[in-house]
Amino acid sequence: MDYSKHINKLWEDGYAVIENFLSEEEIKKLKSHMHEIVSAVNPREHQTVFSTTNQTKNDYFLNSGDRISFFFEEEAIDAEGNLQVDKQLSVNKIGHALHCLDPVFAEISQSERMKAIAKAIGFVDPVICQSMYIFKQPKIGGVVMPHQDSSFLNTNPKRLVGVWIPLEDAMKDNGCLWFIPGSHKNGVDKERYMIRTVDEGTGVEDITFTHPRVEYDDNLFIPAEMKAGSLALIHGEVVHKSEANKSEKSRHAYTFHMFDNHGVEYSKQNWLQPTEKGTFTHLLA
C-alpha cells in the first residue's frame, strides 16, 4: 500500500488516519487475547491507579517500562483496595512492553505493514520504545488531558511518532481522540518535559515536570472519530486529548510509540529508559 498521502497529512496536520489497517479477525484476536490476560491477573498484586489529572508516580510505574503492568481506573478501586466493578471493567491500561513481550501484540507491532509505514515516514532505524492497551471503560473511563507525546519521550532532534489503533469504534460519545491541527509546528510548548529524578539524599527515584501544565483553548480541538481497525499516526509534538467516557460503550485501543534511532539522541532524562531486557525493539533489525 502507498502511504504517501497519509505521511503528507501527518506532516501538515500532525496526525493522519489510515482506514482498515486491521482486519476483523485481527481485531477479534487482540481483544480476545486481552480478555484472557485480564482474567488471569490478580488485581491485589497491581494496586496502581492511572490518572492524567493526578500524576503522582510510584515504583510500580517507574519500573513498568520493560514488563507488562496493570493500571486501574480511579473509580474502580476503593480506599481498601477492593474492586468496585467487574474485573474486566476495572483496568485503565496495560503497558509498557506488549509490543515485544506478548507474541499476539508483537505480531501486529512488528508486522510488515508497520515496517512499511515506518519506512514511509522516513525512519532509518525505527525503535518501538513503549506500548499500551487502553480500555477507556464505560462510565468510568478517565479523561486524558491535552498533551504532546514528545514531552514524555524526548529525542534530539525530535523524531517521535505515535501509532494508535482503536479496536472498537472511537466516537465523540465514548472518548475519541481530539487534535489541534498544525500544533506540532510550534514544537514542545514551553519545553515541558516529564523527567526521571533521583533524590541525592535518599537515592529515591521520582518523576517531575520541567514546567507547569500548558492550558489550551478547547475551541481549537477537532474530533478524530475512527472505526475499529483504523490506525492513527500521531506526530510527537501535536497537541491531542480524549474526554472521559461516560457512555455505556468501552473504547479499547492498542497504541505504541516509535522514534528514529538514526542520528538521534534519546534523552537520558526520559522516565522510560532501555534496560538489559531489550524491550526497545528495532523494527527493521
Side-chain angles (χ1 to χ4, degrees):
M1 180 176 177
D2 182 6
Y3 294 110
S4 57
K5 68 176 183 180
H6 304 101
I7 304 307
N8 289 337
K9 190 174 189 305
L10 174 67
W11 300 142
E12 180 61 28
D13 294 340
Y15 68 99
V17 175
I18 301 171
E19 297 180 347
N20 302 312
F21 181 77
L22 294 185
S23 67
E24 290 186 11
E25 182 179 349
E26 288 172 319
I27 294 170
K28 183 178 179 180
K29 183 177 180 179
L30 291 177
K31 291 184 66 179
S32 176
H33 182 58
M34 182 51 65
H35 189 277
E36 293 174 358
I37 290 175
V38 174
S39 294
V41 72
N42 180 356
R44 288 195 171 274
E45 295 178 358
H46 305 270
Q47 289 291 302
T48 300
V49 166
F50 181 81
S51 168
T52 66
T53 58
N54 181 17
Q55 292 179 317
T56 300
K57 306 303 178 189
N58 56 25
D59 288 342
Y60 186 86
F61 177 88
L62 286 168
N63 296 319
S64 67
D66 60 0
R67 61 194 66 179
I68 296 175
S69 301
F70 298 76
F71 302 87
F72 292 86
E73 292 284 1
E74 285 186 279
E75 299 178 37
I77 300 176
D78 66 17
E80 286 73 42
N82 300 307
L83 283 178
Q84 300 301 292
V85 296
D86 181 271
K87 185 164 65 171
Q88 291 290 341
L89 301 175
S90 67
V91 185
N92 174 288
K93 71 173 186 176
I94 296 177
H96 288 95
L98 288 164
H99 63 279
C100 57
L101 296 184
D102 185 284
V104 175
F105 286 93
E107 184 179 3
I108 297 299
S109 313
Q110 302 177 47
S111 66
E112 293 302 315
R113 284 168 290 172
M114 276 313 311
K115 293 177 182 179
I117 288 175
K119 290 177 181 177
I121 292 172
F123 283 4
V124 176
D125 181 16
V127 172
I128 301 177
C129 55
Q130 74 163 9
S131 52
M132 295 173 284
Y133 191 103
I134 303 173
F135 294 81
K136 205 74 166 182
Q137 303 287 9
K139 296 185 178 180
I140 61 172
V143 64
V144 175
M145 300 294 288
H147 66 282
Q148 298 167 288
D149 291 340
S150 287
S151 288
F152 302 87
L153 300 168
N154 183 25
T155 67
N156 184 26
K158 300 288 188 292
R159 296 286 284 162
L160 180 75
V161 172
V163 174
W164 195 85
I165 305 171
L167 302 178
E168 298 173 327
D169 292 351
M171 301 292 143
K172 285 185 284 187
D173 64 342
N174 70 334
C176 72
L177 297 180
W178 293 69
F179 293 91
I180 300 181
S183 54
H184 62 297
K185 298 176 183 179
N186 300 322
V188 175
D189 287 337
K190 299 185 179 180
E191 294 296 310
R192 183 179 192 260
Y193 298 105
M194 187 174 81
I195 61 174
R196 184 183 289 245
T197 61
V198 179
D199 188 288
E200 294 182 0
T202 64
V204 174
E205 290 188 307
D206 199 358
I207 285 175
T208 189
F209 284 89
T210 59
H211 192 278
R213 187 187 301 278
V214 180
E215 299 295 330
Y216 296 97
D217 183 351
D218 278 343
N219 294 320
L220 298 177
F221 287 91
I222 66 170
E225 295 185 313
M226 295 170 59
K227 300 295 290 183
S230 302
L231 179 148
L233 295 173
I234 303 174
H235 193 288
E237 291 134 272
V238 73
V239 179
H240 58 291
K241 67 174 183 176
S242 68
E243 300 295 344
N245 182 13
K246 300 301 183 182
S247 78
E248 302 286 339
K249 301 176 294 184
S250 58
R251 191 226 62 189
H252 290 200
Y254 177 55
T255 182
F256 56 91
H257 294 89
M258 59 182 174
F259 66 94
D260 191 358
N261 192 54
H262 179 72
V264 171
E265 179 184 2
Y266 182 84
S267 175
K268 290 180 171 57
Q269 288 188 304
N270 287 336
W271 80 269
L272 179 68
Q273 293 295 323
T275 71
E276 67 279 358
K277 292 186 179 180
T279 54
F280 275 43
T281 303
H282 292 258
L283 189 57
L284 302 181

